[in-house]
Amino acid sequence: MFKLTNKSVVITGGGSGIGRAMSILFAQQGAIVHIIELNDKAAADTVAEIETAGGKATGYACDVSDQQQVVDTFAKIGAIDILINNAGIAHIGRADNTSTADFERVFNVNVKGAYNCLYAVIPVLKANGGGVILNTASIAASVGITDRFAYSMSKGAIHAMTLSVARDFLHDNIRCNCISPARIHTPFVDGFIAKNYAGKEAEIFEKLSKSQPIGRMGKSEEVAALALYLCSDEAGFITGTDYPIDGGFITLNN
Ligand SMILES: NC(=O)c1ccc[n+]([C@@H]2O[C@H](COP(=O)([O-])OP(=O)(O)OC[C@H]3O[C@@H](n4cnc5c(N)ncnc54)[C@H](O)[C@@H]3O)[C@@H](O)[C@H]2O)c1
């Protein structure tokens, strides 16, 4: 089960954290992995790890928020079976203290970046007779999280775009779902703790761990395993759905 032999898979942000774990797992399952990354050094590191293990992967330096770069990159890749929109950035703030510049930066990467990849991949998937798209939302799309105004906006948009694409391309044999992780321990989390809570890192790490009722943060590998299932043929009956992977965050936090 869950084999992806010779499937062509595009993973955005595959140089770090969840995207890196997905790239490694998908390659282990036989996929030909294409990593689209702003950080080409990080992409090269993931590619090297996959190749050392005997897998197939290529990195592409590309900013997903730039449509021309995305279109050019997808043209280089050619045939695609699976797209995972994973690249994303964090932001801390409320509606009354988020600057226009920060709001637009989060929108451009998290929302427009996903749109740019959808725009580029759908004609390719249609020409291929179908395929799978997995978007990365967050629990912030469905629960009010303190101080995450712009980020929640972007992840709510991801959920809505998932429903729209799943509906519009149902009869083109394209399945489209999203996942909603709670806190997953990645460089993304370490980075925003360091930037926003300097000097209180250990205390905030503990607080963020406890905010999942299960008592810890998730692991990138656990998210990658869910992504593998949703992108595999075994999940052929699943489309237009959001999958929380959250240690009980949404339903057990009372
Ligand atoms: N870590 C969490 O707790 C958590 C929780 C819920 C959702 N998510 C979502 O999961 C996804 C991955 O998160 P992560 O924790 O692995 O992050 P990460 O920061 O470890 O990795 C993200 C990768 O995306 C790349 N990237 C950023 N902007 C880009 C751009 N404009 N173009 C191309 N690549 C770009 C970065 O270079 C980085 O390698 C994000 O969409 C994030 O919002 C993360």
Side-chain angles (χ1 to χ4, degrees):
M1 293 178 91
F2 316 125
K3 280 288 172 205
L4 298 175
T5 311
N6 291 329
K7 298 259 190 209
S8 173
V9 181
V10 172
I11 302 177
T12 68
S16 174
I18 296 168
R20 179 180 170 90
M22 288 172 172
S23 301
I24 291 168
L25 179 62
F26 278 53
Q28 271 171 16
Q29 295 305 109
I32 300 161
V33 174
H34 303 276
I35 297 172
I36 292 184
E37 251 297 345
L38 192 59
N39 182 343
D40 51 347
K41 160 88 179 62
D45 286 351
T46 307
V47 168
E49 183 165 340
I50 289 171
E51 286 178 342
T52 303
K56 292 183 190 140
T58 310
Y60 303 82
C62 171
D63 179 348
V64 293
S65 68
D66 181 321
Q67 189 168 81
Q68 195 56 54
Q69 284 188 36
V70 170
V71 167
D72 292 347
T73 303
F74 277 74
K76 271 187 228 159
I77 294 171
I80 296 167
D81 299 292
I82 297 167
L83 164 68
I84 303 185
N85 269 319
N86 163 80
I89 56 173
H91 179 258
I92 306 284
R94 303 183 310 262
D96 62 351
N97 62 9
T98 296
S99 68
T100 303
D102 281 346
F103 186 88
E104 287 180 351
R105 191 170 49 84
V106 173
F107 178 87
N108 283 336
V109 178
N110 294 9
V111 182
K112 198 168 158 231
Y115 148 69
N116 286 337
C117 294
L118 293 167
Y119 178 85
V121 86
I122 287 168
V124 181
L125 297 183
K126 283 172 80 171
N128 195 33
V132 185
I133 298 168
L134 185 65
N135 296 320
T136 308
S138 158
I139 52 163
S142 42
V143 174
I145 310 269
T146 307
D147 261 340
R148 298 290 186 283
F149 174 70
Y151 184 73
S152 301
M153 167 280 295
S154 72
K155 296 305 187 179
I158 289 285
H159 186 203
M161 288 194 288
T162 299
L163 299 177
S164 166
V165 168
R167 165 69 71 188
D168 283 341
F169 303 99
L170 196 56
H171 300 298
D172 294 295
N173 199 25
I174 297 173
R175 296 191 295 111
C176 182
N177 295 293
C178 62
I179 53 173
S180 282
R183 190 70 55 207
I184 308 297
H185 187 207
T186 67
F188 176 97
V189 171
D190 293 335
F192 89 67
I193 293 179
K195 182 169 166 225
N196 295 287
Y197 303 100
K200 295 203 294 181
E201 287 90 346
E203 182 193 328
I204 297 293
F205 188 90
E206 182 71 7
K207 193 173 156 208
L208 292 178
S209 298
K210 294 269 165 56
S211 67
Q212 282 69 232
I214 214 163
R216 64 171 174 90
M217 297 190 197
K219 298 175 193 158
S220 294
E221 292 74 16
E222 291 171 323
V223 182
L226 174 61
L228 173 62
Y229 170 60
L230 291 172
C231 292
S232 70
D233 291 344
E234 283 76 8
F237 198 51
I238 301 178
T239 193
T241 302
D242 173 46
Y243 277 77
I245 173 159
D246 68 352
F249 193 102
I250 293 176
T251 52
L252 306 181
N253 247 334
N254 53 29

